[in-house]
Amino acid sequence: MKHQETAQQIVKSVGGVSNVKSVYHCVTRLRFELKDNNKADQAALKKLDMVMGTNISGEQFQVIIGNDVPKVFDEMVKEYPALKQTAEGNKQVDGKKQNVILKIFETIAGVFAPMLPAITAAGILKGLLALFVTLEWLSAGTDTYRILSAIGDGVFYFLPMLISFSAARKFGSNPYIAVGVGAALMYPDMGALLSSGNPVSFLSIPVTAVSYGSSVIPILLAIWILSYVEKTVDRFIIPSLKLLLVPLISLLVMVPVTLIAIGPLGTFVGDGLSGGINWLLNEGGLISGIVLGGAMSLIVMTGMHYALVPVIISNLATLGFDKFLPLTFISNMGQAGATLGVFFRAKDKKLKSVALSTSFTALMGVTEPAMYGVNMKYKKPFIAAMIGSAAGGGFALAFGAKAYALAGNGGIPGLPGLVGQTFWYAFGGMVIAFVVAAVVTVLLGFHEEADDAEQISGSIAAKPADVTPAAPAPVEVEVEPASATADSTAYAPMTGKAIPLKEVNDPTFGDELMGKGIAFVPTIGELISPVSGTVMNVFKTKHAMVIRNTDGMELLIHVGINTVKLRGQFFEAHVQAGDPIQAGDKLLTFDLAQIAQNYDITTAMVVTNTADYKQILPLKLGEVAFGEPVLKAEL
């Protein structure tokens, strides 16, 4: 049920089905192509329990979920069948032009992402078979080995047919016609004809002999062109004959055109691209490892790694190994090590907890919480992660580390993909990246910041901490568990205008996510205590504090919207955590005129333990002065 509800809320928050051009998922993210990214409510998405955060890469809007992303995606397409169709994802909307390079990356990602389960399973099986033969647990000549080998090799050999189906869905072509094109190229007699060594022609036009088994680029180009051929033919055929003639003409055109022109061209491009990258990895050695290893996190963030997917798959299918994949493992270990360094260096207990947990998830191959939630937030740990990855990458490629299968996971669970003759070099690179990143993070240090209301709510209201991209680091609030023991009344903490909390222009307060309460638009830059009790916490930036009265009512008073960015400028606190207070005591003074120049000065007063009360009622709205009763909490 939670996956279904999450799927519904995500679709609603991205602007509804009508705003979605296409959607697919990778290992950890839903990747949307929206008609208008501005319609997506990122704040609402980040509030969902299963959503770790959001990210925009080029034109692509990403919702980071983690390991449950396939289940959420399945519920999404079940609830909204229209989202299964990706044809609309290739049409420009409202005349908006897209970056061509980014469009290519996104297209490649959209084609290969649905195929990853089959490719990953086959790749891991091939790696395990190689391990079993090396350990002499299985002989290569047995029937068992040959059957298992067919399972692993079959996916790669018939890769053009898998690509045909997936590419057709991406390009808006009939997937079964596309598979027909791939099947014709893979037909045994076609392979025998092209490999015979004799000249081959079609209607007296020479056909270049090319092997299509395990190929990637030729069939990708063929299905892209097929999508235009099919649509063109469809426009000229009368409706009663479409079912018969459109598939027939499309196949009769595309198979010969592919054999004569597209296949040789695609093979040339694919071989050139693979050859160039493999030459760089083979000949560059240490230098290539340092440069690519250090830059890998940036490559992944921009989506450029998807451009290499065809090369990686082609290498695995034809060479039996790939040298680029180990760098993805090493980069992930760099992110994991950096967050572990944050754990050792941080002073705040909550930040330590978040850093340690995200370091573990990065070790398991899910790096988004570590990279976006911690390392990029504090910048220096992200730099340390790149330094560690550069060191590990240099070591690995200096010794020729290889991956022998596409494991589908760049962490510890994906290690079977590295099993082979160079396993220990790849593993050594991972260890180096992890250790160096952790040590450099500890040495460089970072600046811990005070948190704002959205994050502090986790500590006060006993909610789990959220880890979201670019989120401020959580701050521990030492508050002893307590329950309200009697009805309580709070008095106006400032002079000005009292307004309903729902009118605050901040969803954290306006939607009462932290609890019920009241808000004020002050006319005097002074905050006095609305109750008698104890100061539980004063934010380092002095713009907010938590107090508890003698009957257990907990109040968060937050002066202004986004005033945490002032870092304490224009604020002066007159109390500190642990101080006893009486109603009317001065808590805080602030320069109202200076702050109001750039910030909304509306001040929220929220009962953070709202759940302890039957109801919380504003007693007065409109003009108020210090000390007037404004809020009552009833058990």
Side-chain angles (χ1 to χ4, degrees), residues 27 41 50 67 105 137 143 155 175 217 242 255 271 288 291 306 347 376 379 383 424 448 456 480 498 538 563 565:
V27 178
D41 188 344
M50 297 187 68
N67 293 333
F105 291 166
W137 293 354
D143 293 343
V155 171
I217 301 296
K242 285 182 185 292
V255 173
D271 289 348
S288 294
V291 174
Y306 284 114
K347 298 178 181 178
M376 288 184 65
K379 298 181 178 63
I383 295 173
W424 291 111
E448 293 183 51
I456 203 66
E480 298 175 1
V538 178
T563 47
K565 296 179 180 179

Side-chain angles (χ1 to χ4, degrees), residues 56-69:
I56 296 178
S57 177
E59 298 293 332
Q60 190 179 82
F61 187 88
Q62 303 170 357
V63 180
I64 304 167
I65 293 176
N67 293 333
D68 282 337
V69 68

Side-chain angles (χ1 to χ4, degrees), residues 259-277:
L259 291 170
I260 294 168
I262 299 174
L265 175 62
T267 301
F268 175 78
V269 172
D271 289 348
L273 185 61
S274 298
I277 293 174

Side-chain angles (χ1 to χ4, degrees), residues 157-161 164 177-195 207-208 210-223 251 254-264 267:
Y157 183 79
F158 290 101
L159 192 60
M161 297 178 69
S164 297
I177 297 176
V179 170
V181 174
L185 299 179
M186 298 301 300
Y187 186 61
D189 193 51
M190 179 73 76
L193 176 65
L194 295 176
S195 62
V207 173
T208 303
V210 171
S211 174
Y212 292 98
S214 304
S215 64
V216 174
I217 301 296
I219 195 65
L220 199 59
L221 291 175
I223 304 307
L251 287 171
M254 282 311 306
V255 173
V257 168
T258 300
L259 291 170
I260 294 168
I262 299 174
T267 301

